Amino acid sequence: MGVLELLWAYIVVFVLAALPFFEAYGVIALSIFAGLPEIPVILISLFGNILTVLLLILFIDRIKEWRRKRKGEKVEKQPSKRALRAQNLWKKYGLPGLALIGPLFVGSHLTAFMSVTLGGQKKSTSIWMIISITVWGVVFALLSHFGVDFLGYEDRGILRDIIQND
């Protein structure tokens, strides 16, 4: 893989990790399976995901105001299943529990949004979200690394091998 191709791959990794519902841990796993170097992928994915979550927390008040205006002062009907899961996690485990468990079920962006909405302080939510994103990123990186190693694909990407065999 050339330098330019690698640069574009890293840009895609960053953008995907920064997007809501494309979590860093998922992007890390896919990138490792694709054969990209692990350490840069982990760092770039974590940075992309953490950056957008911190921006969301920083501008949460403006985002809530935008959502309220967009809905036109409508009274919300029933909370979504995701919101109910987040509320249950909050009641049972508080901010640390929601921050650590939430990204696996509802994504890190929605978890951060719900954490602040349910009463978490911005600073505490930021710290717990950074911890959570980092922990899950490292866990999935290790699982992916050993999975690739176990399958015998340590020198070439699984996805690249599948594509080339077709």
Side-chain angles (χ1 to χ4, degrees), residues 46 50 129-139:
L46 291 177
I50 290 170
M129 290 308 301
I130 290 169
I131 291 168
S132 175
I133 292 167
T134 303
V135 165
W136 288 119
V138 170
V139 166

Side-chain angles (χ1 to χ4, degrees), residues 89 112 163:
L89 286 170
I163 292 169

Side-chain angles (χ1 to χ4, degrees), residues 13-153:
V13 165
F14 177 84
V15 169
L16 287 177
L19 292 173
F21 307 111
F22 280 97
E23 299 301 316
Y25 61 83
V27 175
I28 289 169
L30 285 174
S31 299
I32 291 172
F33 288 146
L36 292 174
E38 296 167 357
I39 299 300
V41 160
I42 293 167
L43 295 175
I44 291 168
S45 295
L46 291 177
F47 180 70
N49 198 187
I50 290 170
L51 177 66
T52 54
V53 167
L54 292 178
L55 287 172
L56 174 87
I57 292 169
L58 181 65
F59 295 109
I60 193 85
D61 298 325
R62 290 184 184 167
I63 294 168
K64 283 192 222 177
E65 181 65 22
W66 173 77
R67 284 187 71 219
R68 188 184 60 73
K69 284 181 181 177
R70 197 181 104 218
K71 290 187 177 193
E73 302 286 342
K74 294 179 187 174
V75 176
E76 292 212 15
K77 43 185 193 274
Q78 296 295 327
S80 69
K81 288 182 182 182
R82 288 181 172 179
L84 289 174
R85 279 188 208 146
Q87 287 173 349
N88 290 334
L89 286 170
W90 182 266
K91 289 176 188 172
K92 195 168 186 177
Y93 303 109
L95 176 59
L98 179 59
L100 290 171
I101 299 170
L104 293 177
F105 296 104
V106 297
S108 58
H109 296 84
L110 186 56
T111 298
F113 184 82
M114 293 301 295
S115 294
V116 174
T117 302
L118 292 171
Q121 298 297 315
K122 289 181 180 182
K123 183 177 180 181
S124 300
T125 300
S126 298
I127 291 168
W128 278 106
M129 290 308 301
I130 290 169
I131 291 168
S132 175
I133 292 167
T134 303
V135 165
W136 288 119
V138 170
V139 166
F140 275 77
L142 289 171
L143 291 173
S144 301
H145 168 77
F146 288 113
V148 167
D149 194 41
F150 176 74
L151 293 171
Y153 285 94

